[in-house]
Amino acid sequence: MYIFKKSSNDLAIVAVCYENICQFEDNSNYGITHLLEHMITDSYSDIEDKYDELCINNNAFTGSHEVVFYVKGLSSELDKIKEDYVKRVTNYKPSIEHFNKQKPIVYQEILDLFTNSMSNTFFNSLTHKFNFISSGGIPEVIKNITFEQVEDFHSKYFKVTKIIEIGLNETEEFKEFDYKKVIKQPFNKSNLLVPKPNSISDDSINITILSSKIEETEDSYYLPFISKLLSFGMKSPLYQEIREKKGYVYWIGTDAVELDYFSHCLSIYTSTSKDNVEAVSKRIIEVLNSPEEFLTEERFNLIKSNMLIQNKIDFINNVSKYDLFLEGNRKNISIQSNFDNINYTDMLKYYKESIQPENNKYSIYTELNFTKGN
């Protein structure tokens, strides 16, 4: 449970949460939750001008399991619209008008995602290795979803699980999703790989390197911390070894990817010329296999200091944990809650046991794996 103290700028959020919905999708309707998110948002488009007038940001997201709708603005202005907003979201009934309008929009959104070389390689890699893909859906599946499917899915699974108000009183309580109650109902998504239609160029090849699945433990909050240790800033180990010393890449990034509520993986992604793919991949694995050399205590203390100061900035801006929640970023919330427990020795132990390639099988993918004709 987290307690929020209201800061001087009186920023507030009202969020309507539907938990554990995406797990009920199957190969015939993958992306239907995302489509319904768009349809519900469309239902209050007639008052968008009012939100703009009151400087209220309204948005929604479909996470790996949950769907969250929210409005954010000054407490005094949010009070004027919050009851109407909650009623519109929770009382929504699917309409053919919203379906016909939003389906092509969602289709194009996902099509854009998978025709981008970097995101195509990244998401197809996750699907290939973990039977996982973005909860947004797959173009060919979304194109064939019917209005009857939408009506049926909405009536069965769109049940509000909580309404959260943050910042409207002096202190607010917020409980994380009880993800331990999730019913795991995975289906085989391996046939949902989306080939990239473009031809491969020698100029730049996208690479995604994935660890094996890392199961949830009480120390899992170290994973996003380690991700930042590896790639944050020009002095980070990966930037220094892959870009500054070798000139192989312009950029390189890492991420702690949430596969489900119970497991994660570490991803490393970058792009390089076709001739350098093997050298880049090899050097990345070498860096990951040398924690004493690259994940030093000095580097650890620098990142911890950075994150502590960032937390203070977030609180000054009154964003903090509930904005991270709205981004679906539970692991960063967990980091903030466990900062007193974070220490170099335990971090290194967790890294060696769970992340280091000597104890964790990594897979290397390039866009060549997912391009038509290859």
Side-chain angles (χ1 to χ4, degrees), residues 228-240 252 299 303:
K228 197 164 187 176
L229 279 172
L230 287 166
S231 66
F232 177 76
M234 294 299 292
K235 292 293 186 180
S236 65
L238 289 178
Y239 260 96
Q240 285 293 306
I252 187 166
R299 174 76 181 163
I303 294 299

Side-chain angles (χ1 to χ4, degrees), residues 245-259:
K245 291 183 180 180
K246 298 292 186 180
Y248 286 147
V249 305
Y250 174 70
W251 64 277
I252 187 166
T254 60
D255 196 12
V257 180
E258 181 182 87
L259 300 173

Side-chain angles (χ1 to χ4, degrees), residues 20-86:
N20 307 331
I21 292 180
C22 299
Q23 63 178 326
F24 297 109
E25 296 182 350
D26 58 38
N27 285 18
S28 70
N29 63 10
Y30 198 56
I32 198 169
T33 306
H34 182 203
L35 176 56
L36 271 160
E37 174 217 314
H38 275 247
M39 291 172 63
I40 293 171
T41 303
D42 197 20
S43 70
Y44 47 84
S45 60
D46 60 305
I47 55 171
E48 292 278 1
D49 284 344
K50 185 66 175 176
Y51 293 165
D52 290 344
E53 178 187 346
L54 299 177
C55 197
I56 290 172
N57 173 32
N58 79 90
N59 212 332
F61 70 86
T62 301
S64 56
H65 292 271
E66 72 282 357
V67 182
V68 178
F69 300 84
Y70 64 93
V71 281
K72 175 180 174 182
L74 294 179
S75 301
S76 57
E77 307 306 324
L78 211 57
D79 274 335
K80 298 174 183 177
I81 59 92
K82 68 175 185 178
E83 290 185 12
D84 175 72
Y85 174 80
V86 170

Side-chain angles (χ1 to χ4, degrees), residues 10-234:
D10 293 323
L11 197 64
I13 291 173
V14 174
V16 180
C17 311
Y18 297 84
E19 297 174 79
N20 307 331
I21 292 180
C22 299
Q23 63 178 326
F24 297 109
E25 296 182 350
D26 58 38
N27 285 18
S28 70
N29 63 10
Y30 198 56
I32 198 169
T33 306
H34 182 203
L35 176 56
L36 271 160
E37 174 217 314
H38 275 247
M39 291 172 63
I40 293 171
T41 303
D42 197 20
S43 70
Y44 47 84
S45 60
D46 60 305
I47 55 171
E48 292 278 1
D49 284 344
K50 185 66 175 176
Y51 293 165
D52 290 344
E53 178 187 346
L54 299 177
C55 197
I56 290 172
N57 173 32
N58 79 90
N59 212 332
F61 70 86
T62 301
S64 56
H65 292 271
E66 72 282 357
V67 182
V68 178
F69 300 84
Y70 64 93
V71 281
K72 175 180 174 182
L74 294 179
S75 301
S76 57
E77 307 306 324
L78 211 57
D79 274 335
K80 298 174 183 177
I81 59 92
K82 68 175 185 178
E83 290 185 12
D84 175 72
Y85 174 80
V86 170
K87 284 180 182 178
R88 285 172 181 257
V89 175
T90 57
N91 295 337
Y92 179 74
K93 303 296 182 189
S95 78
I96 190 68
E97 177 188 0
H98 294 147
F99 174 78
N100 288 335
K101 177 182 174 183
Q102 293 299 324
K103 181 178 170 180
I105 294 173
V106 174
Y107 173 77
Q108 188 61 51
E109 176 187 353
I110 301 303
L111 194 63
D112 289 347
L113 179 72
F114 281 101
T115 52
N116 174 279
S117 296
M118 189 68 248
S119 56
N120 180 281
T121 307
F122 178 71
F123 285 118
N124 277 326
S125 300
L126 290 171
T127 303
H128 185 271
K129 182 159 185 171
F130 300 113
N131 192 33
F132 166 93
I133 207 163
S134 162
S135 53
I138 297 296
E140 287 305 308
V141 177
I142 290 173
K143 187 166 64 174
N144 293 313
I145 290 175
T146 66
F147 180 63
E148 289 71 28
Q149 285 177 295
V150 168
E151 285 187 304
D152 181 64
F153 193 88
H154 183 271
S155 66
K156 286 180 178 177
Y157 305 119
F158 266 72
K159 313 295 182 186
V160 175
T161 49
K162 55 169 66 83
I163 298 173
I164 299 171
E165 296 185 3
I166 301 171
L168 297 175
N169 299 311
E170 286 306 314
T171 61
E172 295 288 348
E173 294 183 355
F174 161 52
K175 293 182 179 179
E176 280 191 273
F177 291 151
D178 188 0
Y179 57 85
K180 299 301 183 187
K181 294 182 179 179
V182 174
I183 303 169
K184 299 178 76 174
Q185 294 183 330
F187 61 93
N188 188 355
K189 304 171 191 171
S190 60
N191 65 331
L192 297 178
L193 291 173
V194 182
K196 179 174 170 289
N198 322 30
S199 61
I200 289 295
S201 164
D202 289 341
D203 295 337
S204 183
I205 300 293
N206 293 297
I207 305 170
T208 297
I209 299 178
L210 301 174
S211 73
S212 294
K213 187 177 288 187
I214 302 169
E215 299 295 337
E216 183 85 15
T217 70
E218 62 181 10
D219 294 324
S220 291
Y221 55 83
Y222 276 119
L223 184 55
F225 190 95
I226 288 167
S227 173
K228 197 164 187 176
L229 279 172
L230 287 166
S231 66
F232 177 76
M234 294 299 292

Side-chain angles (χ1 to χ4, degrees), residues 125 129 207-210 277-278 280-282 285 362-366 369:
S125 300
K129 182 159 185 171
I207 305 170
T208 297
I209 299 178
L210 301 174
V277 169
E278 184 176 351
V280 168
S281 304
K282 179 182 178 182
I285 296 299
Y362 280 72
S363 299
I364 301 169
Y365 298 91
T366 75
N369 297 108

